[in-house]
C-alpha cells in the first residue's frame, strides 16, 4: 500500500490561480479543514478527511485547499490530487 501526500501541503508544487471575480491573484491558504476549528490543524488527516466536504477524499486521495484573492478577498475551494510518497 502506498502512502499519499498533498503536493501543495508538502511544498512539492505551487499553483497560481486568477480570481474569477476580479482577475486578481489568488493565494493558497492551505487545507480547508485547518479553518474548521481551533484544533483542526492538529487532528489526524484520516479523521479530518471525513468532514472536508468531499464524499470520498480518503479513498480518492484528495486534499481540499482554500484559495483567497489578494485584491477582493473572494475565496474558493479546490480539490488537489495527492501523489504517492
Amino acid at each position: 500500500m502506498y502512502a499519499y501526500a498533498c503536493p501543495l501541503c508538502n511544498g512539492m508544487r505551487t499553483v497560481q490561480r486568477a480570481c474569477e471575480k476580479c482577475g486578481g491573484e489568488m493565494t493558497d491558504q492551505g487545507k480547508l479543514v485547518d479553518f474548521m476549528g481551533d484544533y483542526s490543524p492538529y487532528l489526524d488527516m484520516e479523521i479530518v478527511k471525513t468532514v472536508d466536504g468531499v464524499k470520498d477524499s480518503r479513498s480518492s486521495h484528495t486534499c481540499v485547499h482554500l484559495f483567497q484573492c489578494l485584491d477582493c478577498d473572494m475565496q474558493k475551494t479546490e480539490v488537489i490530487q495527492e501523489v504517492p510518497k
Side-chain angles (χ1 to χ4, degrees):
M1 181 175 160
Y2 289 104
Y4 288 81
C6 174
L8 299 185
C9 290
N10 290 282
M12 295 180 238
R13 184 176 60 148
T14 59
V15 295
Q16 293 181 317
R17 298 288 184 261
C19 177
E20 297 167 359
K21 183 177 176 184
C22 73
E25 180 184 352
M26 297 193 84
T27 60
D28 178 14
Q29 300 296 306
K31 296 180 302 226
L32 177 64
V33 294
D34 285 353
F35 296 92
M36 292 184 166
D38 292 342
Y39 296 102
S40 58
Y42 307 105
L43 296 174
D44 183 83
M45 277 306 298
E46 295 305 309
I47 294 170
V48 297
K49 282 189 172 206
T50 62
V51 295
D52 66 5
V54 177
K55 182 179 178 184
D56 61 350
S57 62
R58 286 179 64 197
S59 61
S60 64
H61 306 290
T62 57
C63 185
V64 181
H65 275 249
L66 177 67
F67 288 83
Q68 183 170 1
C69 179
L70 295 174
D71 296 327
C72 72
D73 291 328
M74 185 186 102
Q75 296 179 337
K76 77 174 221 171
T77 58
E78 185 173 328
V79 177
I80 305 297
Q81 185 65 51
E82 294 176 339
V83 296
K85 287 185 183 178

